[in-house]
Every structure is written in structure tokens, then in C-alpha cells.
Amino acid sequence: MKVVEYILDGFRRGVFASKRDYYYRAVELFGKQKTVDEIVDDIAATLCIQRSELGVGSSPKGLFSGHISLLLSNSTVVQGSLSRTGTLIPPIDQLLGIHYPVSVAEDCTRRIRWVLVVEKEAIFSTLSSSALLLDSALGPGVLITGKGYPDMATRHLLKKLSVDLSHIPIMALVDADPHGTEILATYACGSKSLQHEKEGLVVERMECIGVKHDDLHGMNIDRRSLIVLSARDRKKAVSLLKRDDLKDDWRRELQHTLHRGYKAEIEIIGSSSSIVNDDQGILNYVVDRVGRTLLQYV
């Protein structure tokens, strides 16, 4: 009842709060953050509404960079950064719309040619500060990271981009391991705990450009760079394979991972490159994979 009390109080005062806020109001009562998370999710699921409609959400953590700007409810416009740090993705209740580059000669939304979601913040920073977003061959794009498992604000922004820019690819770069696959599934299929919010968040057409097992065989990768699957990894992989909504190619990648008993992180691409600079190796890989995908959209 305490969480319901907090929600009603928020409605009365017109205040949007995070689940973290609720937890710290009564740490001894809740014991752990997960308790608050589950209660809020259960209330939203029971009422068949999104958590944001309860005036509750997660603390923003996702980042974006690129040639777009976000219009917020307080009339503020947040510009997409081209810096290493990126720009914080605002909470769902604050995002009113997305502004795309204006062009007199053509539909402004067609100026953006691709969207790439990156699992890790470190890789996002590398790509955001590189020449990727200024690559003339690829054209303007948008980079996004949920810093691992994405929050709802990150998924909401990606969904809006997918709807607005239905003619361009929505791609993802994740580790070749069960956690990477689960992150893909969260974006494209929805999380198990938030199935009632699936329609407004999932991007079913998301494509994975890597890291794939073919990459590990096609590159000069030192086998010692691969990581042996843990018991927890195997358990997660088996659980994911039971999902009916997992894409066939992602399922095959996961099966390969289990069969070989190894996993690989995105960083292995840079370390396997003949180029001394690891960041340049990762950039070259992404440019190549994004370019290949764009050819399918010509």
C-alpha cells in the first residue's frame, strides 16, 4: 500500500518520480530496490497501463548522439551531441517529439539514413567521438546506447525513431553472448516483466550487425581472447532458447555459442584488427557492417 500511497501523492502534486525515489523513501520497509520495481510493474500490469501513466519511471540512463534533436514538454529542445559523452535520453513523460534535419530539397526525415544501438557505453563513446556520424558514404545517422539492458526511456525513443523513419535500418551491436542476445530480445520482442507495455516499446525490425560467430572465424582472433561460458551464461542461454518470439538468426547464434562454449565481447573486434589502434578497428568494422545493411535499403 505504501507504493500506491506514493503514486497517489504524485498525482495530487503533479510530480513524476523514479522507482529509486520510492525505494529511498522507505529503505527499511522495502529492503531492496527489486521489491519496489516488482510492485510498480504489478500495479501497471493489473491496470493494463504503462508505468509512465502511473507517474513512475526509472532514472534516465540511456544516451544518444547524432543528427536529431528532442522536443521536451517544457518547450526545451535537446540537441543530439557529436561528442564522446553523448546526450542523456529524457524520461518518457518529457519527450513530446523528435526534430530531424531540415532540408528544402527533400523530406527532412529522409536525411537520417540509419540508427545503430550499441550495447556498451564505452563502445558508444568510441563511435560517437569518431568520424562515423560524419561519414559521407553512410550519410547522417543516430547512435543510441542503453548502457547494457535498456530502460524504458531508451526503448521509447528507439520506438519513435523506428516509426518515424520506417524506411531506414534499425541496427544493433552487442556482445556475442547470452546477455547480448537478451538485450536484443528486450528491444525487439519486449521484456518478460513488461509484456503489457510491449506494443509501445518493441522494435521488431531491429537487425543485429554483430558481433557474430562468423566474425570470430573470419578475423584473425586469438582464441585466448574468447571467454569460457559460465554456468550462469548457459542457464540464461537455455532460458532464451525457450522464448517463442526469439528471431531465428539470433536463436542460431545462441545455439552456436552454447555448442562452442565460448563468448566474445565487442572489444575483440578492435584487438583482432591488424590496425594498431583498437578504436579504429571497431570503427572500420561498424562502417563496413552498416554499409552492407544500407545496400539492402537502396
Side-chain angles (χ1 to χ4, degrees):
M1 291 300 294
K2 182 61 71 173
V3 172
V4 174
E5 178 184 319
Y6 291 158
I7 291 173
L8 292 176
D9 179 61
F11 276 130
R12 282 193 293 268
R13 296 189 294 124
V15 176
F16 189 90
S18 71
K19 293 181 293 182
R20 198 72 175 163
D21 293 333
Y22 288 176
Y23 170 67
Y24 279 117
R25 289 188 197 180
V27 174
E28 292 185 2
L29 173 63
F30 296 123
K32 53 186 177 181
Q33 178 67 54
K34 186 177 180 181
T35 302
V36 177
D37 297 347
E38 291 176 347
I39 292 173
V40 171
D41 289 345
D42 286 346
I43 293 173
T46 300
L47 298 176
C48 296
I49 60 176
Q50 294 188 6
R51 286 181 299 182
S52 58
E53 295 178 83
L54 293 173
V56 186
S58 302
S59 299
K61 69 166 186 169
L63 302 171
F64 79 98
S65 62
H67 305 268
I68 61 171
S69 54
L70 308 182
L71 176 62
L72 306 187
S73 56
N74 62 1
S75 299
T76 301
V77 176
V78 178
Q79 299 289 342
S81 169
L82 298 183
S83 69
R84 189 175 185 86
T85 56
T87 302
L88 190 66
I89 296 173
I92 292 177
D93 68 310
Q94 294 182 20
L95 180 60
L96 290 184
I98 304 173
H99 285 171
Y100 300 95
V102 176
S103 171
V104 176
E106 60 184 7
D107 178 358
C108 63
T109 60
R110 294 191 179 278
R111 291 287 304 280
I112 300 295
R113 294 193 61 205
W114 53 271
V115 175
L116 176 63
V117 178
V118 183
E119 174 183 346
K120 296 178 174 178
E121 182 180 8
I123 303 298
F124 169 88
S125 297
T126 295
L127 296 175
S128 185
S129 60
S130 72
L132 177 65
L133 291 168
L134 301 174
D135 190 290
S136 58
L138 299 181
V142 177
L143 280 173
I144 291 175
T145 181
K147 298 182 182 178
Y149 289 89
D151 59 2
M152 289 182 62
T154 302
R155 294 173 61 194
H156 179 63
L157 174 61
L158 186 66
K159 176 68 173 183
K160 288 184 71 67
L161 287 168
S162 177
V163 172
D164 291 352
L165 306 172
S166 59
H167 58 286
I168 71 169
I170 306 292
M171 300 165 285
L173 177 65
V174 299
D175 289 338
D177 69 1
H179 292 280
T181 303
E182 187 170 43
I183 288 170
L184 284 172
T186 300
Y187 281 113
C189 312
S191 61
K192 289 184 178 180
S193 62
L194 297 174
Q195 284 298 302
H196 61 287
E197 299 181 347
K198 178 177 179 179
E199 184 177 347
L201 295 174
V202 300
V203 180
E204 295 179 350
R205 64 188 185 89
M206 173 176 273
E207 306 173 53
C208 178
I209 63 169
V211 175
K212 300 182 179 181
H213 279 85
D214 286 346
D215 298 329
L216 306 182
H217 290 285
M219 296 178 177
N220 183 28
I221 291 178
D222 186 343
R223 191 174 180 83
R224 291 172 297 181
S225 300
L226 300 175
I227 305 169
V228 177
L229 289 176
S230 66
R232 182 182 178 188
D233 290 329
R234 290 184 175 277
K235 182 178 180 180
K236 182 171 289 293
V238 171
S239 176
L240 284 167
L241 289 172
K242 293 178 181 178
R243 291 188 62 154
D244 296 331
D245 54 0
L246 194 66
K247 292 189 177 185
D248 290 341
D249 53 336
W250 300 353
R251 185 181 300 277
R252 285 192 294 271
E253 285 290 324
L254 201 53
Q255 289 169 336
H256 285 317
T257 299
L258 273 175
H259 176 70
R260 293 187 172 95
Y262 292 94
K263 60 183 180 180
E265 298 184 333
I266 300 171
E267 289 82 354
I268 202 172
I269 298 169
S271 62
S272 68
S273 173
S274 58
I275 300 172
V276 176
N277 188 326
D278 288 359
D279 289 352
Q280 187 63 46
I282 293 174
L283 174 60
N284 290 350
Y285 174 89
V286 171
V287 169
D288 177 70
R289 295 309 189 272
V290 171
R292 291 187 192 185
T293 304
L294 283 173
L295 290 176
Q296 303 171 26
Y297 286 76
V298 175

